[in-house]
Amino acid sequence: MSFGLVTSAALCGALVGATAPSVARRFAPTPDPSAPTPAWSASGWALVGAVVFAGLAAALGPDPALPAYLLVAGSGVVLAVVDLACLRLPDPLVGAAGLGGAAGLGVAALAAGTPGRLAVALAGAALSFAGYVVLALLPGARLGFGDVKLAAALGLPLGWLGWSTLGVGLVLPHLLNGVVVLALLAARRVRRDTALPFGPALLAGAWLAVLFA
């Protein structure tokens, strides 16, 4: 692990996080009053961005795939802001995460001479999409198709690291979301029928899966 690499990544992440609320406002000009968290603090999101980027740099090191993960993470920070503010995952932002990840991993595959690894990553994205479609269609499911599309975008970098990482990255969000929901219920911040964003849990679960891959 390079201290310089991690520091540089943290600074880039802080910049992305600090600008995330202003970018998010273009997609969520009117926050949803039912959303549980006011999400516009630039300083708070700067810290989140720094931690997320630094964690990825520490986990992956000078891997040719690191830029792809940082591209996905940058889009993910903005997506988290939007979803917390208005319970939406806009297609342009999800598309940016997916296309940025695919392009970055394509370059990494060429640089490393491992095209087969990219094929596994694409299979991971397809599997993530199919699995979350099934979950979204289950009776009583609270997953939206924005969550389904985000799961597919995250399945690509998770699949790049292997099937076990993909599995952890797809299961962990549900555990994290469950803990958050129980805490909010215990604090009487929400009711059982309150709509809550799932995008941040998807992003956090994928990030943790990468860190411990």
Side-chain angles (χ1 to χ4, degrees), residues 13-129:
L15 179 60
V16 170
T19 58
S22 61
V23 175
R25 282 190 179 94
R26 301 179 184 179
F27 298 92
T30 305
D32 190 323
S34 67
T37 306
W40 301 122
S41 169
S43 59
W45 284 105
L47 178 60
V48 170
V51 170
V52 168
F53 275 51
L56 292 173
L60 298 172
D63 192 300
L66 177 61
Y69 286 81
L70 297 182
L71 284 170
V72 175
S75 299
V77 171
V78 181
L79 279 164
V81 177
V82 175
D83 205 16
L84 285 168
C86 67
L87 307 177
R88 291 178 59 239
L89 292 168
D91 286 344
L93 291 175
V94 176
L99 292 175
L105 291 178
V107 171
L110 288 174
T114 55
R117 196 170 181 184
L118 181 60
V120 174
L122 292 169
L127 182 61
S128 301
F129 179 77

Side-chain angles (χ1 to χ4, degrees), residues 175-188 190 192 196:
L175 300 178
L176 295 174
N177 193 61
V179 171
V180 170
V181 170
L182 288 175
L184 290 173
L185 286 170
R188 298 184 179 180
V190 300
R192 291 183 180 275
L196 294 173

